[in-house]
Amino acid sequence: MNYCVVVVEYLRLITLSDLVDIVILSFILYKCINLLQWTNAAKVAKVLLIMVACMWVSYQLSLDAINFLLSKAMELGFLALVILFQPEIRRFFEQVGTSGRISLVRLFRDNGPSSEVERAIQETVEAYQEMSDNKVGALLVFERDVKLDNVISSGTAFQSTVNSELLKNLFYNKAPLHDGAVIVRRGKIVAAGCMLPMSDSMSLSKDLGMRHRAGLGMSERSDAVVAVVSEETGAISVMLRGTLRRHLSAATLNRVLRNELLPRQEEAQGGRVSRALAFWQGRAQRRGK
């Protein structure tokens, strides 16, 4: 009972400014957690949290030597986070230097897939259908949560929407960038001619070439979705989470990319809109008759 009284007394002390402070801090922490989830730094952050817990336990038990060692290790852990976040930090300061300010809406908005991703899928499927028919080799990587900045830096920077004609030109066998991979981030091409890590899998069929091994290696080391067209057979393949699916039709490729790259709620909403449009179109046609 006394505990409840104390809690009520504390709640009475909370002012409007305290609530605003808590909301803003919670939002910033939420965005920081999302940022950790989108990068490889998430593993380091988990280790840091474990070390913080261990430091608290060692402090409570008066284990001074262990507490001292853990505090020094924490300093190195934060340094590791800064190193891992170096590309994001650099882009942040570049934006500050070029624009003089950063829109808070742009800074804290959700970076989930949009209609641009859907258009990118449509253009990719169209290009892959034609390249498959003409046996033109292709290697396309759709970045998801794990950032591929190291891979992007190995190629030629691009800033372009995904266009089927552009993809066919990039992968044309006499084009200078046709041997590398094209990286797509949030529905836009950000690099071409990129080098991917090779898979060490011994179970990979010997009739598959370097594109398939590179695509599989990329899917083993990240959560990216990789689509390949074989130059020898024209077969379309998709690599995802270290697995390989071969001999896909254009329709199957479209379905796989939509399932993996589009959020379920957008697809559900899109389906409802399509069904509603079909319903009203049917009524209009019946009335016209």
Side-chain angles (χ1 to χ4, degrees):
M1 187 66 181
N2 291 333
Y3 177 77
C4 294
V5 173
V6 172
V7 171
V8 171
E9 291 298 326
Y10 273 114
L11 291 176
R12 288 177 179 175
L13 297 175
I14 297 176
T15 63
L16 180 60
S17 59
D18 294 328
L19 292 176
V20 173
D21 196 19
I22 292 171
V23 170
I24 293 175
L25 183 59
S26 301
F27 184 72
I28 292 174
L29 289 175
Y30 168 74
K31 288 298 178 180
C32 290
I33 292 172
N34 281 346
L35 182 61
L36 287 173
Q37 290 176 344
W38 295 341
T39 64
N40 291 322
K43 297 176 182 178
V44 179
K46 291 177 182 177
V47 174
L48 288 177
L49 290 176
I50 294 173
M51 291 176 64
V52 168
C54 292
M55 284 180 62
W56 181 82
V57 172
S58 64
Y59 176 78
Q60 295 296 323
L61 298 178
S62 300
L63 304 176
D64 296 333
I66 294 177
N67 190 268
F68 173 78
L69 292 176
L70 288 174
S71 64
K72 294 301 179 182
M74 283 286 293
E75 295 177 5
L76 295 176
F78 283 117
L79 179 61
L81 277 178
V82 172
I83 294 173
L84 288 175
F85 278 118
Q86 186 266 337
E88 288 80 4
I89 295 172
R90 185 181 66 249
R91 284 196 297 270
F92 177 85
F93 283 109
E94 284 175 352
Q95 291 177 1
V96 173
T98 55
S99 64
R101 62 185 177 84
I102 288 184
S103 169
L104 290 177
V105 174
R106 183 178 180 183
L107 182 62
F108 292 112
R109 71 184 177 184
D110 284 332
N111 293 318
S114 66
S115 58
E116 285 190 359
V117 177
E118 189 168 7
R119 287 195 295 270
I121 293 172
Q122 293 171 353
E123 296 291 332
T124 299
V125 172
E126 181 181 339
Y128 267 50
Q129 176 68 76
E130 187 168 337
M131 288 189 290
S132 174
D133 295 338
N134 297 327
K135 294 185 179 180
V136 175
L139 177 55
L140 190 70
V141 179
F142 287 92
E143 181 190 74
R144 293 203 287 183
D145 291 342
V146 176
K147 299 303 179 185
L148 307 178
D149 293 320
N150 291 337
V151 174
I152 291 171
S153 64
S154 70
T156 301
F158 257 80
Q159 282 297 330
S160 172
T161 56
V162 179
N163 180 276
S164 61
E165 293 300 323
L166 176 59
L167 290 177
K168 288 184 284 187
N169 286 328
L170 286 173
F171 290 119
Y172 176 61
N173 58 10
K174 289 183 171 51
L177 302 175
H178 79 281
D179 278 333
V182 169
I183 311 297
V184 176
R185 171 182 285 172
R186 301 190 197 107
K188 293 184 178 294
I189 297 176
V190 293
C194 298
M195 304 300 293
L196 303 185
M198 295 291 176
S199 172
D200 297 325
S201 175
M202 301 301 294
S203 60
L204 198 62
S205 176
K206 293 183 179 179
D207 62 338
L208 297 178
M210 299 296 286
R211 281 192 181 89
H212 291 82
R213 189 168 290 276
L216 187 61
M218 187 76 265
S219 71
E220 291 170 346
R221 292 165 174 82
S222 72
D223 61 348
V225 180
V226 185
V228 177
V229 177
S230 171
E231 192 171 4
E232 289 74 23
T233 64
I236 298 174
S237 303
V238 170
M239 291 80 170
L240 178 65
R241 303 181 189 93
T243 60
L244 169 64
R245 295 180 61 181
R246 301 177 62 186
H247 304 294
L248 304 183
S249 65
T252 304
L253 173 65
N254 179 63
R255 184 168 62 252
V256 171
L257 294 180
R258 290 181 66 88
N259 287 341
E260 296 296 334
L261 300 174
L262 294 178
R264 296 292 185 267
Q265 60 268 27
E266 280 193 10
E267 286 194 305
Q269 291 171 0
R272 286 195 294 268
V273 170
S274 298
R275 288 193 295 270
L277 287 174
F279 172 77
W280 288 110
Q281 287 173 356
R283 288 195 61 177
Q285 288 174 0
R286 288 193 295 271
R287 286 179 180 178
K289 292 179 180 179

